[in-house]
């Protein structure tokens, strides 16, 4: 028999359970369109030439052993996207297939192959304002058991390809004092203004995100091919100790190498973007929340006290969220991922604050961004944290991986520093 009190309780419960509790809308911003689905290799980079409609991606063997060229001649580390679901090796199959593969097994332990005229392990591809596709080769790849081998001289390099004839037009090989054997050349930005250097052919800035810890910023004179480092080992290019992001509700721990104890997220300086003027460089470690910047003249300086001045010039812009690649639009906004909110955010240097640009539950890991002349932000959405390099060590990624895009705010478009 029900007591009066329990009948009141049941009545109350029924009323309460009918109430709508306000909840997270999970989406915000402009519509997010799926542009390309990757069914084959696992992508990171994207670059879009909207005048021709051509799109390019890269597939790093340094983060996925199944991207490693094993000499079977059926892999690629750079590809052109064909239709909305197919890729073909770019600029050709031959350069993507070093003789005997990307790894030199005659050394002990195995090392990256030393070819300057073949691609070993590409982490980023970026179209410059002159429509040259620059390929950033780490020179590193994983063995089948997931061990990341060290680079050999010849492997780490920047390679420029002309889109007009799909031919290599320039190769800049980094000396081992600039790209260390355990460096991981992650991402690159270009400023081609002639006034920057004596050679007048512009400059590239590169992040070294190495998990092994020798992080820094590399500067390249595109005219002379010389390169140098700044901010080596400073806290601003290093991961934060104990950094644990949550993505899709999951705390992330890394497996640095097969069989090794877990670490917190230990990628250093990764995302990189120039201000719309080219006078400032923004970057952030993936293993950390802060956004940093520096005047680019401090990085180009190679004088006696240039490193002292560079370290004194670093600006902490505050927290940005958990992100990988960055991008810049013509209104001066800096785009950063905010993976913990399934989002892409913008940082406005004018008022110093973040805004949410787009949110969507499908955003799993906004890896690399590329703004095209068509006024869209393109980004690869690649489930990085579900790979076997993250706890619990099983591969939980599900194909297809996606290329997505969203219309930029304020009629913004791409920045062209020439
Ligand atoms: C690589 O491919 C093999 C065979 O398709 C699969 O068993 C393995 O899980 C894949 N590994 C990764 C890291 O994707
Ligand atoms: C890809 O193109 C095909 C044929 O044009 C179309 O049916 C399909 O919906 C497209 N897929 C995506 C993801 O846009
Ligand atoms: C492999 O390593 C050996 C020994 O250092 C070297 O002689 C050879 O040139 C290397 N080959 C490649 C393709 O890296
Ligand atoms: C993984 O493979 C490499 C290269 O073949 C080998 O040197 C290393 O001992 C292996 N590591 C483990 C944990 O099996
Ligand atoms: C390809 O075009 C570039 C100009 O974009 C030119 O410098 C180069 O010589 C051409 N290469 C070939 C093989 O035609
Ligand atoms: C900062 O500027 C952006 C526009 O770039 C604007 O959307 C945002 O509301 C501003 N934030 C504050 C706190 O004023
Ligand atoms: C964007 O362009 C449209 C059409 O040219 C114009 O009506 C609108 O005012 C512009 N918006 C901004 C924020 O400039």
């Amino acid at each position: 028999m029900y007591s009066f009190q329990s009948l009141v309780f049941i009545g109350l419960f029924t009323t309460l359970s009918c109430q709508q509790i306000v909840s997270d809308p999970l989406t915000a911003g402009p519509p997010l369109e799926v542009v390309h689905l990757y069914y084959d290799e696992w992508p990171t980079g994207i670059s879009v030439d909207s005048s021709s409609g051509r799109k390019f991606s890269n597939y790093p063997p340094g983060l996925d052993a199944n991207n490693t060229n094993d000499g079977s001649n059926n892999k690629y580390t750079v590809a052109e996207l064909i239709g909305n679901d197919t890729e073909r090796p770019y600029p050709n199959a031959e350069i993507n297939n070093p003789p005997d593969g990307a790894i030199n097994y005659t050394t002990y332990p195995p090392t990256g192959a030393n070819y300057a005229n073949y691609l070993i392990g590409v982490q980023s591809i970026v179209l410059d304002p002159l429509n040259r596709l620059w390929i950033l080769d780490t020179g590193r790849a994983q063995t089948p058991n997931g061990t990341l081998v060290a680079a050999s001289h010849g492997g780490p390099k920047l390679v420029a390809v002309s889109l007009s004839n799909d031919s290599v037009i320039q190769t800049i090989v980094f000396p081992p004092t600039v790209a260390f054997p355990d460096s991981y050349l992650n991402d690159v930005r270009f400023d081609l203004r002639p006034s920057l250097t004596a050679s007048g052919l512009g400059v590239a800035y590169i992040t070294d995100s190495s998990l092994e810890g020798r992080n820094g910023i590399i500067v390249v004179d595109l005219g002379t091919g010389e390169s140098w480092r700044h901010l080596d080992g400073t806290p601003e290019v290093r991961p934060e100790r104990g950094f644990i992001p949550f993505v899709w509700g999951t705390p992330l721990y890394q497996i640095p190498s097969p069989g090794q104890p877990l670490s917190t997220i230990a990628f250093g300086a990764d995302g990189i973007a120039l201000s719309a003027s080219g006078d400032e460089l923004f970057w952030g470690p993936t293993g950390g929340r802060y956004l940093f910047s520096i005047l680019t003249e401090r990085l180009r300086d190679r004088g006696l006290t240039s490193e002292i001045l560079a370290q004194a010039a670093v600006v902490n812009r505050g927290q940005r969220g958990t992100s990988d690649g960055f991008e810049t639009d013509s209104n001066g906004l800096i785009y950063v991922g905010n993976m913990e909110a399934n989002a892409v955010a913008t940082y406005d240097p004018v008022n110093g604050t973040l805004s949410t640009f787009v949110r969507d539950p499908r955003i799993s890991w906004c890896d690399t961004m590329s703004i095209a002349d068509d006024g869209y932000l393109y980004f690869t959405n690649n489930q990085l944290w579900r790979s076997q390099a993250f706890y619990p060590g099983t591969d939980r990624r599900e194909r297809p991986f996606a290329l997505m895009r969203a219309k930029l705010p304020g009629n913004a478009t791409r920045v062209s520093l020439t």
Side-chain angles (χ1 to χ4, degrees):
M1 201 214 290
Y2 295 112
S3 68
F4 174 72
Q5 282 88 343
S6 60
L7 283 175
V8 168
F9 176 78
I10 289 165
L12 202 57
F13 181 78
T14 312
T15 314
L16 285 176
S17 62
C18 290
Q19 294 296 308
Q20 287 288 340
I21 309 292
V22 71
S23 64
D24 186 339
L26 300 177
T27 57
L32 195 51
E33 301 169 31
V34 177
V35 177
H36 189 92
L37 295 174
Y38 300 89
Y39 288 93
D40 189 23
E41 291 187 34
W42 176 81
T44 57
I46 175 67
S47 205
V48 177
D49 176 28
S50 40
S51 59
S52 66
R54 298 175 78 183
K55 303 177 193 68
F56 306 90
S57 277
N58 66 277
Y59 310 81
L63 294 178
D64 185 333
N66 279 357
N67 286 352
T68 299
N69 203 299
D70 51 9
S72 60
N73 291 344
N74 60 5
K75 297 285 176 82
Y76 46 86
T77 187
V78 178
E80 180 168 2
L81 310 188
I82 307 298
N84 63 15
D85 61 3
T86 310
E87 295 94 48
R88 73 163 166 241
Y90 189 81
N92 55 60
E94 192 202 353
I95 195 172
N96 276 278
N97 284 284
D100 300 323
I103 295 180
N104 186 349
Y105 285 100
T106 72
T107 63
Y108 184 83
T111 45
N114 60 13
Y115 301 113
N117 50 346
Y118 290 92
L119 303 176
I120 308 301
V122 174
Q123 184 61 29
S124 192
I125 43 128
V126 176
L127 213 48
D128 79 7
L130 297 179
N131 251 11
R132 299 176 294 189
L133 187 77
W134 288 92
I135 296 172
L136 183 62
D137 194 343
T138 63
R140 306 184 70 185
Q142 285 187 4
T143 63
N145 68 17
T147 302
L148 179 61
V149 303
S152 303
H153 183 227
K157 56 190 171 285
L158 258 180
V159 178
V161 176
S162 163
L163 290 199
S164 60
N165 53 23
D166 301 330
S167 301
V168 171
I169 47 178
Q170 193 178 351
T171 300
I172 297 173
V173 174
F174 298 110
T177 47
V178 172
F180 308 128
D182 60 359
S183 281
Y184 200 81
L185 308 181
N186 196 298
D187 207 352
V188 56
R189 287 296 178 270
F190 295 89
D191 184 344
L192 303 185
R193 289 176 296 161
S195 59
L196 298 182
T197 57
S199 67
L201 296 180
V203 163
Y205 305 96
I206 297 169
T207 44
D208 182 345
S209 69
S210 175
L211 266 183
E212 292 92 337
R214 295 179 75 178
N215 309 110
I217 307 280
I218 295 170
V219 187
V220 188
D221 181 329
L222 298 174
T224 63
E226 288 174 286
S227 53
W228 57 95
R229 297 178 70 101
H230 270 308
L231 303 178
D232 264 19
T234 61
E236 296 89 351
V237 296
R238 298 270 300 126
E240 287 166 32
R241 179 174 171 173
F243 180 65
I244 304 169
F246 281 67
V247 182
W248 286 9
T250 307
L252 305 188
Y253 294 89
Q254 241 174 301
I255 301 172
S257 202
Q260 283 195 5
L262 300 185
S263 76
T264 54
I265 303 307
F267 297 115
D270 182 322
I272 185 169
L274 282 161
S275 63
S277 68
D279 293 340
E280 279 180 289
L281 185 78
F282 292 83
W283 77 91
T286 295
R289 281 181 207 285
Y290 285 92
L291 176 67
F292 300 101
S293 69
I294 190 171
L295 289 175
T296 52
E297 69 176 321
R298 294 275 60 86
L299 296 173
R300 292 190 301 273
D301 188 356
R302 301 178 71 184
L304 181 65
T305 63
S306 59
E307 176 59 17
I308 307 278
L309 291 171
Q311 291 189 20
V314 173
V315 178
N316 183 333
R317 300 283 190 147
Q319 294 204 347
R320 62 171 208 275
T322 294
S323 48
D324 198 318
F326 291 179
E327 190 49 302
T328 313
D329 78 14
S330 56
N331 292 334
L333 297 183
I334 306 298
Y335 291 74
V336 298
N338 183 4
M339 265 72 104
E340 288 168 297
N342 307 89
V344 176
T346 54
Y347 173 80
D348 187 345
V350 175
N351 64 20
T353 64
L354 293 162
S355 302
T356 293
F357 167 51
V358 66
R359 280 189 82 197
D360 190 293
R362 290 172 294 177
I363 296 178
S364 61
W365 189 268
C366 169
D367 194 292
T368 302
M369 306 180 189
S370 170
I371 284 178
D373 297 312
D374 59 8
Y376 280 87
L377 176 81
Y378 290 78
F379 65 91
T380 49
N381 184 25
N382 71 5
Q383 308 168 45
L384 169 83
W385 58 278
R386 306 179 92 203
S387 78
Q388 61 191 15
F390 290 80
Y391 181 76
T394 49
D395 189 6
R396 290 152 294 140
R397 297 170 303 173
E398 291 175 39
R399 283 171 170 73
F401 312 112
L403 173 63
M404 305 184 110
R405 72 170 190 176
K407 188 85 177 137
L408 299 175
N411 294 340
T413 184
R414 185 177 176 219
V415 176
S416 191
L417 293 165
T418 49

